[in-house]
C-alpha cells in the first residue's frame, strides 16, 4: 500500500482547516497594534501572498521595519491561536480524508503553522491517523513553503515526486509543489482570490472534493 497511485500532500490553514474568520480577526488585531486600519476578507484575499512580509508590503506600500514585523508577527499568532479554537474542519474534509485512506492511498500534511501548535490541533479534530506524516513549520515565520516541502518529501520514503500532488489554498502551495517536481491543485475557499490562484498556472477548484478528484488524475 502506498507504493502506487497519487499521494496527496494537504495544506492545513485555509484548506483542511476552515480558519478564515480566525485569520482575518487576528490580522486586524495585529494591524491595530501598529496603527493600521482593519482589512476586509475580500481585500485580504486580493493582496495576500507568501512570504508574509510581502503581503504587508502590498498593504502598507513598503516592507515593515524589523521592529514592526516582530510586533505584528507576535500579535498575529497570539490572537490567531485564541480565535482558532472556534474554527473547524472544512466542509467534507473529514470524510474525504477517511475515504482516501480507505481506498488504500496515502496522504500527508505539510503546513507553515508552527509544528508545536499544529500537532495538538490536528489531534483535537481526530484526523492524525489519516496521515502518514504531519509536518508543521520549524524555524522563522517569514519564509515560504518551498524548502519546507523539500524536507517533507525527503521524509516520505518511497514516494516519487511525480505522483505527489499538493492541495492548498495559496499560490505558495503551487510554488512549493513545483519546487520538488510535484503537481498541485488550488482551492478557492481559503486565503487567495480566484484571480490570484489562476496566476499559478495549475488547476483551481471550488471544493475539496473536486480537488481530490483532480489530484487523483494528476498523480495517477
Amino acid at each position: 500500500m502506498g507504493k502506487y497511485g497519487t499521494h496527496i500532500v494537504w495544506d492545513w490553514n485555509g484548506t483542511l482547516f476552515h480558519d478564515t474568520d480566525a485569520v482575518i480577526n487576528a490580522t486586524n488585531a495585529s494591524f491595530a497594534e501598529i496603527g493600521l486600519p482593519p482589512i476586509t476578507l475580500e481585500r485580504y484575499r486580493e493582496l495576500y501572498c507568501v512570504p508574509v512580509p510581502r503581503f504587508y508590503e502590498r498593504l502598507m506600500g513598503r516592507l515593515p521595519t524589523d521592529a514592526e514585523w516582530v510586533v505584528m508577527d507576535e500579535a498575529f499568532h497570539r490572537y490567531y491561536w485564541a480565535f482558532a479554537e472556534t474554527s473547524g474542519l472544512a466542509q467534507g474534509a473529514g470524510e474525504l480524508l477517511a475515504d482516501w485512506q480507505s481506498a488504500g492511498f496515502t496522504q500527508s500534511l505539510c503546513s507553515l503553522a508552527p509544528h508545536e501548535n499544529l500537532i495538538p490541533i490536528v489531534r483535537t479534530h481526530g484526523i492524525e491517523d489519516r496521515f502518514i506524516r504531519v509536518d508543521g513549520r520549524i524555524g522563522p515565520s517569514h519564509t515560504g513553503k518551498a524548502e519546507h516541502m523539500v524536507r517533507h518529501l525527503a521524509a516520505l520514503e518511497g514516494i516519487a515526486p511525480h505522483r505527489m500532488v499538493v492541495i492548498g489554498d495559496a499560490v505558495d502551495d503551487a510554488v512549493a509543489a513545483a519546487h520538488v517536481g510535484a503537481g498541485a491543485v488550488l482551492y478557492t475557499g481559503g486565503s487567495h482570490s480566484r484571480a490570484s490562484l489562476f496566476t499559478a498556472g495549475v488547476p483551481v477548484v471550488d471544493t475539496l472534493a473536486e480537488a481530490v478528484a483532480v489530484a487523483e488524475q494528476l498523480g495517477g
Side-chain angles (χ1 to χ4, degrees), residues 4-211:
Y4 305 101
T6 303
H7 173 86
I8 293 177
V9 179
W10 291 96
D11 173 58
W12 178 246
N13 302 102
T15 304
L16 287 176
F17 191 50
H18 187 62
D19 59 352
T20 305
D21 288 343
V23 168
I24 295 300
N25 290 336
T27 297
N28 285 332
S30 69
F31 284 2
E33 297 210 3
I34 64 165
L36 289 176
I39 189 172
T40 64
L41 173 60
E42 291 72 24
R43 185 68 170 155
Y44 180 93
R45 283 177 164 160
E46 178 185 342
L47 296 178
Y48 183 73
C49 63
V50 175
V52 176
R54 297 265 182 91
F55 165 55
Y56 292 137
E57 181 181 23
R58 290 180 173 185
L59 184 71
M60 301 166 65
R62 61 174 176 82
L63 282 169
T65 65
D66 289 345
E68 288 172 332
W69 168 253
V70 169
V71 171
M72 294 167 77
D73 189 51
E74 187 281 328
F76 174 83
H77 286 96
R78 172 163 37 90
Y79 286 110
Y80 171 80
W81 290 106
F83 290 127
E85 291 182 4
T86 60
S87 300
L89 296 179
Q91 183 176 6
E95 292 80 2
L96 287 169
L97 294 173
D99 290 347
W100 190 256
Q101 184 183 46
S102 296
F105 297 119
T106 56
Q107 56 199 332
S108 57
L109 180 58
C110 183
S111 171
L112 288 179
H115 190 75
E116 67 272 18
N117 297 110
L118 178 65
I119 297 299
I121 199 165
V122 169
R123 287 175 178 164
T124 295
H125 290 282
I127 57 173
E128 185 182 18
D129 65 351
R130 303 300 183 198
F131 308 107
I132 62 171
R133 185 172 183 88
V134 176
D135 282 323
R137 173 178 54 78
I138 298 174
S141 59
H142 62 275
T143 58
K145 190 180 277 188
E147 292 307 316
H148 188 40
M149 189 66 71
V150 171
R151 293 189 292 272
H152 185 72
L153 175 60
L156 296 174
E157 298 180 4
I159 295 179
H162 71 269
R163 69 177 188 86
M164 189 170 95
V165 179
V166 176
I167 296 179
D169 71 313
V171 171
D172 189 53
D173 291 305
V175 171
H179 187 68
V180 298
V185 183
L186 298 180
Y187 162 62
T188 61
S191 61
H192 277 38
S193 67
R194 175 183 290 275
S196 295
L197 295 179
F198 272 121
T199 66
V202 301
V204 175
V205 299
D206 294 320
T207 69
L208 293 183
E210 290 176 89

